[in-house]
Amino acid sequence: MNNIELNRFWEKVKEEYIGCLPESVHPWLYSLEVSGYDKGVLTVVTGQAMAKDWLRRNHSSQMDSILQKISKNNDARIHILYDENAAKKLKKEVEKIHKKELDAQLKEQAMENLSNMQSSANLNLKYKFENFVVGDNNKFAHDAALAVAKQPAEKFNPLFIYGNAGLGKTHLMQAIGHYTIFNNPKKTVKYTKTDDYISDFITNTRNNNSVENMSKFNKKYTSVDIILIDDIQLIESKEKTMNRLQQTFDTLYEKGKQIVITSDRLPEEIPKITEALASRFKRGLMVELTPPSFETRLEIIKKIAADNDIKADNDALEYVAKNFSKNVRELEGAFTKVCAYAEFYNKPMTLETAQTVLKCNENKKQITFENITEVTAKYFETSTEDITGTTRSQKISTARQIAIYVCRELTNQSFEIIGNYFNRKHTTTLYAYEQIKNKISSNKNISSAVREIKQALKVL
Ligand code: ADP
Ligand code: MG
């Protein structure tokens, strides 16, 4: 019997043993390895001494008779030996399995820890650096955020990220948190929306045993390594909260902890902000996010499509990217709408489908500062030169403020850029915007002027 024949023969015998002997001894049967078959004696070895003893003592006659049946030899019998080498081999295999199980357990534990930390830090899983598309509009902000994530409190403290709604401020800020938790799990991260901070502060000051509550409040916000405070502009005019935030800021700063803040405007543009707080915000690095270019927008929706395994025609993607230029959230929303429609009604992701769903009027006049000013001048029966010029008459001042307001509303550009066009400082531009925003609900003349100007621009 050569080796192949021997193995085949043994497999057959073993199969029969497994079929006939009780299940409790199956693991021992699996531990047997054939070693030879000579003159009716089948020798098998095991690395488990117990297997040899037990099988020999309790099952040898049954095993012999099965062997005799298969070999058609009435004298055949099985000889089970304990083998040290087999034992060593077995020990190694067992160790390997244990190690694998241990590794898997450790990995699972690590994943669980990670997700616990992510949720206690209050982070959205989508907002990571890996999911952030870098373009000219956000490269500097992205690189600064990454530098802060790699070396918290060593590079730029605080990091102040500002820009209009939907341009990725929250995303970048939370990416710093994710990066830290993943690469530096000993560091603690806390993300807080400014309105949550405000209401937390108010609840704690209202309570009677306020000393104890305030110390709990302070601890909550100052016992972390990195604090992420989102939408700081919401602190506007809240003097007491500003003072408290200043203390939170100072404690963290002195302890060498990283502070990251986002805002939809510059510190000095936040209404009634204290000078002390504004200057603290400007102490580190301020980076701006501006609207993405067409190429970046296209890349953002291509990434969403790839991540979600969505196949779409290129011209459908281009159509969406072309028509949603000011706000990434709106861009994502528009693309999601097309995808949902295609899925519900089983339509292909073509240009035609995108057009049917979004109905963007591609021929609509592009809204620029020039045509807003032109339409406003016409409404107030004056000229564009007057609006952008120095005249201070009541009528022209109102026209100017309204033009500024509409520019901000419809183009999502920064007060600085709008100010440049109107030959004004950005603080004057901000003031004009706030004036109209406050008057629009109470002053009929102003609200109808804004409505008619927007209508003339065909956006209402
Ligand atoms: P903001 O806080 O400035 O209002 P968000 O961070 O909430 O904006 O971003 C709005 C949406 O756009 C989010 O879903 C975000 O993931 C996405 N987004 C913004 N910028 C990018 C980018 N560069 N790459 C990928 N997604 C982006
Ligand atoms: Mg945000």
Side-chain angles (χ1 to χ4, degrees):
M1 226 186 235
N2 64 26
N3 264 353
I4 297 178
E5 286 165 342
L6 178 65
N7 275 321
R8 240 183 243 148
F9 176 64
W10 167 236
E11 284 304 318
K12 211 163 143 196
V13 174
K14 191 165 67 178
E15 204 174 298
E16 198 65 23
Y17 284 166
I18 287 167
C20 298
L21 298 181
E23 222 173 281
S24 55
V25 301
H26 287 185
W28 288 334
L29 292 173
Y30 285 116
S31 81
L32 302 178
E33 279 179 39
V34 69
S35 149
Y37 184 54
D38 190 29
K39 295 183 189 125
V41 178
L42 178 68
T43 310
V44 292
V45 295
T46 172
Q48 289 178 280
M50 273 278 279
K52 179 203 74 177
D53 294 343
W54 187 271
L55 290 173
R56 266 192 190 175
R57 196 176 319 131
N58 300 299
H59 300 287
S60 63
S61 62
Q62 199 184 356
M63 290 173 89
D64 283 348
S65 64
I66 290 169
L67 179 64
Q68 287 157 10
K69 200 177 81 194
I70 294 173
S71 64
K72 297 196 181 84
N73 175 352
N74 285 341
D75 294 324
R77 58 189 183 82
I78 186 150
H79 186 42
I80 306 172
L81 291 176
Y82 168 73
D83 181 273
E84 213 167 283
N85 285 337
K88 277 185 194 151
K89 199 170 129 198
L90 188 75
K91 203 171 152 211
K92 264 195 193 143
E93 269 168 22
V94 169
E95 277 170 0
K96 224 171 152 183
I97 291 169
H98 278 168
K99 190 169 172 336
K100 254 193 195 159
E101 278 172 0
L102 195 68
D103 282 353
Q105 254 179 26
L106 286 176
K107 208 166 163 190
E108 205 174 290
Q109 182 76 44
M111 292 307 283
E112 204 181 309
N113 284 350
L114 191 67
S115 83
N116 282 345
M117 283 197 282
Q118 273 157 345
S119 64
S120 76
N122 209 2
L123 302 176
N124 180 331
L125 281 179
K126 189 191 148 211
Y127 296 161
K128 297 184 177 172
F129 282 119
E130 298 92 283
N131 300 328
F132 192 82
V133 175
V134 181
D136 286 346
N137 63 309
N138 60 31
K139 184 161 185 354
F140 185 44
H142 168 270
D143 293 351
L146 193 58
V148 163
K150 286 184 175 167
Q151 287 173 286
E154 284 177 37
K155 283 258 163 177
F156 312 115
N157 203 12
L159 177 66
F160 189 92
I161 306 172
Y162 68 102
N164 291 334
L167 296 180
K169 299 183 295 295
T170 302
H171 188 142
L172 259 191
M173 156 180 267
Q174 292 206 6
I176 298 175
H178 283 296
Y179 185 98
T180 308
I181 287 172
F182 193 78
N183 294 291
N184 214 342
K186 288 212 176 92
K187 290 218 184 284
T188 47
V189 177
K190 182 169 185 59
Y191 166 85
T192 182
K193 292 185 179 140
T194 299
D195 37 9
D196 290 342
Y197 181 91
I198 296 169
S199 56
D200 204 7
F201 175 68
I202 292 172
T203 318
N204 281 295
T205 39
R206 260 202 208 128
N207 215 309
N208 287 338
N209 56 350
S210 63
V211 176
E212 199 183 311
N213 281 320
M214 268 336 286
S215 103
K216 242 199 251 160
F217 174 89
N218 286 341
K219 205 160 160 218
K220 186 162 153 192
Y221 293 96
T222 55
S223 62
V224 293
D225 294 302
I226 300 187
I227 195 158
L228 311 169
I229 308 177
D230 206 1
D231 284 325
I232 199 70
Q233 77 279 354
L234 298 176
I235 207 159
E236 66 165 62
S237 314
K238 298 184 182 60
E239 211 178 308
K240 280 194 187 135
T241 320
M242 282 189 206
N243 290 336
R244 169 57 49 186
L245 182 67
Q246 188 181 320
Q247 288 175 31
T248 304
F249 186 103
D250 288 346
T251 310
L252 286 165
Y253 194 84
E254 279 154 25
K255 285 207 283 185
K257 307 299 182 189
Q258 177 70 46
I259 303 154
V260 183
I261 302 164
T262 71
S263 168
D264 72 355
R265 61 196 75 181
L266 286 164
E268 60 268 31
E269 291 171 0
I270 299 170
K272 302 211 178 120
I273 189 164
T274 59
E275 180 54 38
L277 202 51
S279 69
R280 277 166 176 75
F281 292 167
K282 292 194 277 189
R283 193 187 282 171
L285 178 68
M286 300 212 282
V287 286
E288 185 178 12
L289 289 171
T290 53
S293 66
F294 171 73
E295 286 73 25
T296 308
R297 298 197 305 269
L298 191 58
E299 215 183 305
I300 290 173
I301 46 175
K302 274 189 179 165
K303 184 156 177 28
I304 302 174
D307 289 348
N308 294 288
D309 235 351
I310 294 164
K311 305 231 167 351
D313 285 358
N314 213 34
D315 47 7
L317 296 175
E318 284 182 6
Y319 177 81
V320 181
K322 201 155 85 190
N323 285 287
F324 293 84
S325 59
K326 290 175 218 118
N327 182 319
V328 183
R329 191 176 295 118
E330 282 174 19
L331 174 74
E332 282 184 344
F335 184 59
T336 307
K337 201 166 160 190
V338 180
C339 295
Y341 178 89
E343 197 183 322
F344 288 160
Y345 302 109
N346 210 8
K347 299 271 188 221
M349 288 284 289
T350 56
L351 174 61
E352 200 189 340
T353 306
Q355 281 169 333
T356 312
V357 179
L358 300 174
K359 296 189 182 68
C360 305
N361 180 3
E362 284 200 87
N363 296 327
K364 82 179 167 202
K365 226 166 114 190
Q366 236 221 325
I367 296 176
T368 58
F369 296 160
E370 283 79 10
N371 50 39
I372 292 171
T373 316
E374 225 168 84
V375 171
T376 311
K378 209 163 172 191
Y379 182 89
F380 282 95
E381 294 171 337
T382 169
S383 67
T384 53
E385 289 75 24
D386 275 345
I387 289 186
T388 56
T390 51
T391 320
R392 284 166 182 253
S393 79
Q394 173 75 39
K395 186 175 95 170
I396 293 177
S397 293
T398 307
R400 187 177 298 131
Q401 289 189 335
I402 286 180
I404 288 172
Y405 175 83
V406 176
C407 283
R408 170 73 177 183
E409 288 279 291
L410 300 186
T411 67
N412 211 12
Q413 291 289 357
S414 70
F415 288 114
E416 199 147 4
I417 294 176
I418 298 173
N420 286 344
Y421 177 78
F422 287 92
N423 303 310
R424 260 107 193 135
K425 284 196 215 149
H426 80 268
T427 42
T428 316
T429 320
L430 171 74
Y431 176 76
Y433 173 81
E434 295 286 343
Q435 283 288 308
I436 301 300
K437 193 174 144 203
N438 292 337
K439 284 183 191 160
I440 210 161
S441 52
S442 54
N443 185 323
K444 264 196 184 149
N445 289 341
I446 290 193
S447 67
S448 62
V450 170
R451 195 176 55 248
E452 282 185 37
I453 290 164
K454 282 186 173 177
Q455 240 158 17
L457 290 156
K458 296 230 174 13
V459 290
L460 270 187

